[in-house]
């Protein structure tokens, strides 16, 4: 419960900050051009019965803007006079235009008002990444330093890769780091016509098509490629099945129930198979039998293997901590001065945006649609403990997502308004108010459907149906 609350707090804090600054971007340009801002709210103040939905609001003297916090944490809004938005204030639009209204301003000023939120979110992300570089530097594991090479699945091996190949680079350049989160490593392989590897001490090149589908590479289990990490025990939990069976730190698991094991991926895959078996077991006796396993374990400092029998926990855990990359390799750490941090942060932020935009096209596929997540998926990106580095990294990432999603040419989003404004600037003709209202309804309907679909995916994943 504590970890859930910590994640929730981080999520709310990050979203509140991003919404505040996004809407602040709209308000800055609106007030700069003399447009009246009627309301500025973080979260929506949806009216329920007689309750106006405001948790808090105030209106400073000599200011036309009411500032406040709503109760529905699904975003925020900046109510601009003379503009058709999600509030559908059609009564105001029936009145004669006033000089302080959005609709009376030149198209270029209205365009800047609409892109103000996206601009602020994008610049905020670059600034946060820059400060992360300045405060913590950049720590990563170079792919070329992984001397044990990589572990490949059957699809990768059919293309010519072999276990223990050390990945050097592609025709696009050398590999930097392995990461299955942002997908840069996989994207470089997917777009490569040639991948260079070090095999048995000699450089070897593998020819690829240059247009592979990256999504199956990441979603498949085991992954298309991942660092080769032997199934070596880092440490043992006291009182766990492994502890009772005599397994010690440094031991290496060689097989489970007669199935060879080389890496933790292999072992996790085999326990996953056991989990499938468990779902069809009806009695406690059958379940206990499925959890009873035989391991071949090579104890630390010994050449031969011993047979070890144990009963796994109900969730099929041995009770050990697995060896990780840090068990075998020393990370590379780059530090930056204050001035150096800005180009480094901008470069990193641009790479994150490019990667996210590149991944966005996969949403059109069935697997891509299933990978779509709602509030639960976003909240799970934060760690179950408070870590300022992770908090700011995730806040910057969400800021980029918010900027990109809002600039999409969908009515009701900033990007939809931008499209209509560009049309007006090119043709010198304004879309009618009736058309704008209908487009707004269509856009909001699409967004609601998308939000329901994304959060339904979260629920299906939570109950184990996806």
């Amino acid at each position: 419960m504590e970890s859930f609350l910590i994640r929730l707090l981080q999520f709310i804090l990050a979203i509140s900050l991003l919404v505040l600054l996004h809407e602040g971007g709209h308000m800055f340009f609106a007030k700069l051009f003399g447009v009246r801002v009627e309301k500025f709210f973080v979260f929506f103040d949806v009216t329920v019965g007689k309750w106006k939905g405001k948790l808090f609001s105030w209106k400073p003297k000599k200011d036309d803007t009411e500032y406040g916090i709503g109760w529905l944490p699904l975003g925020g809004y900046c109510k601009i006079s003379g503009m058709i938005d999600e509030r559908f204030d059609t009564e105001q639009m029936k009145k004669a235009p006033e000089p302080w209204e959005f609709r009376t301003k030149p198209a270029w000023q209205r365009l800047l008002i609409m892109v103000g939120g996206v601009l602020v979110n994008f610049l905020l992300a670059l600034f946060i990444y820059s400060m992360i570089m300045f405060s913590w530097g950049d720590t990563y594991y170079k792919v070329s330093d992984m001397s044990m090479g990589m572990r490949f699945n059957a699809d990768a091996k059919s293309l010519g890769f072999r276990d223990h190949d050390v990945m050097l680079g592609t025709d696009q350049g050398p590999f930097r780091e392995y990461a299955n989160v942002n997908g840069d490593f996989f994207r470089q392989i997917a777009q490569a016509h040639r991948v260079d590897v070090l095999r048995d001490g000699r450089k070897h090149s593998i020819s690829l098509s240059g247009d592979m589908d990256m999504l199956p590479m990441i979603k498949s289990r085991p992954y298309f490629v991942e660092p080769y990490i032997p199934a070596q025990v880092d440490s043992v939990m006291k009182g766990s099945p492994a502890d009772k069976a005599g397994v010690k730190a440094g031991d290496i698991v060689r097989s489970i129930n007669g199935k060879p094991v080389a890496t933790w991926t292999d072992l996790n895959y085999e326990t996953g198979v056991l989990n499938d078996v468990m779902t069809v077991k009806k009695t406690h006796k059958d379940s206990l039998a499925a959890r009873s396993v035989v391991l071949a374990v090579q104890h630390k400092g010994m050449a031969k293997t011993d047979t070890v029998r144990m009963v796994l926990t109900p969730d099929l855990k041995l009770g050990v901590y697995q060896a990780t990359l840090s068990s075998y390799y020393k990370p590379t750490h780059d530090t930056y001065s204050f001035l150096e941090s800005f180009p480094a942060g901008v470069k990193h932020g641009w790479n994150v945006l490019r990667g996210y935009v590149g991944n966005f096209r996969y949403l059109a596929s069935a697997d891509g649609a299933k990978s779509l997540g709602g509030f639960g998926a976003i909240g799970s990106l934060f760690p179950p403990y408070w870590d300022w580095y992770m908090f700011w990294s995730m806040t910057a990432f969400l800021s980029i997502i918010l900027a990109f999603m809002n600039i999409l040419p969908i009515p009701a989003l900033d990007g939809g308004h931008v499209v209509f404004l560009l049309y007006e600037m090119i043709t010198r003709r304004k879309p009618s108010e009736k058309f704008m209202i209908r487009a707004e309804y269509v856009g909001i309907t699409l967004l609601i459907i998308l939000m329901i679909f994304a959060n339904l995916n979260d629920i299906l994943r939570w109950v184990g149906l996806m």
Side-chain angles (χ1 to χ4, degrees):
M1 184 64 179
E2 182 181 354
S3 62
F4 170 78
L5 292 176
I6 293 175
R7 275 191 167 126
L8 180 63
L9 179 60
Q10 292 179 86
F11 173 71
I12 292 176
L13 182 59
I15 292 299
S16 299
L17 175 65
L18 296 181
V19 169
L20 175 68
L21 294 178
H22 177 91
E23 300 302 333
H26 292 307
M27 185 171 69
F28 170 79
F29 283 105
K31 295 207 171 189
L32 179 66
F33 299 131
V35 177
R36 181 175 294 174
V37 177
E38 298 175 12
K39 298 178 76 171
F40 181 87
F41 267 67
V42 176
F43 304 151
F44 295 125
D45 58 331
V46 178
T47 300
V48 179
K50 295 182 179 180
W51 185 46
K52 299 298 182 180
K54 302 175 185 178
L55 296 181
F56 175 73
S57 72
W58 83 101
K59 189 174 183 179
K61 293 181 178 179
K62 298 181 181 180
D63 194 335
D64 297 315
T65 308
E66 178 189 2
Y67 301 88
I69 300 175
W71 68 272
L72 188 61
L74 298 179
Y77 70 95
C78 178
K79 178 68 175 71
I80 297 174
S81 294
M83 175 183 167
I84 298 173
D85 58 11
E86 65 275 8
R87 308 296 291 188
F88 295 107
D89 189 359
T90 55
E91 292 302 317
Q92 184 184 67
M93 303 303 291
K94 293 177 181 177
K95 299 176 182 178
E98 299 288 354
W100 62 77
E101 290 186 340
F102 177 83
R103 55 180 165 168
T104 62
K105 299 299 179 181
W108 68 270
Q109 292 185 2
R110 286 179 279 136
L111 181 64
L112 284 175
I113 292 172
M114 293 317 305
V115 301
V118 169
L119 180 63
V120 166
N121 279 134
F122 185 60
L123 293 178
L124 174 66
L126 298 183
F127 177 75
I128 292 176
Y129 280 131
S130 298
M131 292 301 95
I132 287 175
M133 295 296 182
F134 174 64
S135 301
W136 288 282
D138 191 14
T139 302
Y140 58 96
Y141 293 90
K142 284 184 178 179
V143 174
S144 58
D145 286 348
M146 298 177 189
S147 55
M148 286 188 293
M150 295 287 179
R151 176 73 162 172
F152 300 90
N153 68 10
D155 291 336
K157 290 176 180 177
S158 69
L159 295 173
F161 293 101
R162 296 181 187 175
D163 287 341
H164 296 293
D165 281 351
V166 177
M167 306 289 279
L168 300 177
T170 70
D171 50 314
Q172 304 174 44
F175 290 114
R176 183 177 184 269
E177 62 177 316
Y178 175 90
N180 56 26
V181 176
N182 57 31
D184 288 347
F185 177 78
F186 290 91
R187 186 177 301 104
Q188 191 171 345
I189 297 174
Q191 298 174 354
H193 290 89
R194 187 195 78 248
V195 177
D196 298 324
V197 302
L198 191 65
R199 181 181 296 169
D200 299 326
R202 299 178 62 182
K203 185 177 178 180
H204 184 80
S205 294
I206 298 170
S207 297
L208 299 178
S209 64
D211 60 350
M212 295 172 60
D213 190 348
M214 187 184 80
L215 195 60
M217 297 169 67
I218 298 177
K219 291 183 69 67
S220 61
R221 295 295 183 272
Y223 290 120
F224 182 90
V225 54
E226 58 187 334
Y228 195 102
I229 303 176
Q232 185 173 26
V233 176
D234 179 76
S235 56
V236 181
M237 301 177 194
K238 189 175 181 180
S240 67
D243 184 36
K244 294 175 182 177
V247 177
K248 304 294 183 183
D251 291 352
I252 301 176
V253 180
R254 295 300 185 185
S255 73
I256 178 170
N257 291 341
K259 307 262 182 83
V261 167
T263 66
W264 281 115
T265 297
D266 297 334
L267 185 59
N268 292 334
Y269 175 79
E270 294 300 333
T271 55
V273 172
L274 289 177
N275 185 62
D276 293 338
V277 173
M278 288 273 290
T279 59
V280 299
K281 298 301 181 182
K282 303 297 183 182
T283 67
H284 175 72
K285 182 179 179 181
D286 291 339
S287 174
L288 191 63
R291 288 162 46 204
S292 301
V293 298
V294 179
L295 274 64
V297 177
Q298 181 180 347
H299 294 295
K300 186 177 181 180
M302 298 178 63
K304 66 176 185 177
T305 60
D306 286 342
T307 299
V308 174
R309 299 178 183 275
M310 67 176 70
V311 178
L312 303 180
T313 63
D315 57 349
L316 300 177
K317 302 297 183 184
L318 281 73
V320 302
Y321 292 103
Q322 304 176 2
T324 61
L325 279 175
S326 61
S327 305
Y328 298 97
Y329 307 114
K330 183 179 179 180
T332 297
H333 182 72
D334 297 330
T335 58
Y336 300 91
S337 67
F338 182 73
L339 293 179
E340 291 172 337
S341 67
F342 286 98
V346 169
K347 181 180 178 181
H348 181 73
W350 180 254
N351 287 336
V352 171
L353 175 63
R354 185 180 62 180
Y356 184 76
V357 173
N359 294 344
F360 195 75
R361 65 187 179 93
Y362 293 109
L363 289 180
S365 66
D367 287 338
K370 290 179 181 178
S371 67
L372 194 65
F375 299 117
I378 296 173
S380 66
L381 294 175
F382 291 93
Y385 50 87
W386 196 274
D387 182 287
W388 282 112
Y389 171 80
M390 288 299 299
F391 171 79
W392 288 117
S393 295
M394 288 313 309
T395 301
F397 180 59
L398 292 178
S399 191
I400 282 182
I401 293 177
L402 185 61
F404 175 72
M405 293 299 292
N406 265 282
I407 205 62
L408 291 176
I410 299 175
L413 291 179
D414 297 341
H417 290 281
V418 168
V419 169
F420 296 137
L421 283 166
L422 290 176
Y423 168 81
E424 179 186 341
M425 294 172 73
I426 294 171
T427 64
R428 305 293 181 181
R429 294 172 55 193
K430 268 188 178 184
S432 68
E433 291 181 3
K434 182 181 290 186
F435 171 82
M436 294 292 290
I437 292 172
R438 288 177 177 175
E440 197 78 12
Y441 274 119
V442 170
I444 288 179
T445 301
L446 289 173
L447 293 177
I448 291 174
I449 292 173
L450 182 63
M451 184 176 66
I452 293 173
F453 181 79
N455 284 283
L456 181 60
N457 279 353
D458 285 351
I459 295 172
L460 293 176
R461 278 190 285 266
W462 182 60
V463 298
L465 296 178
M466 182 181 290

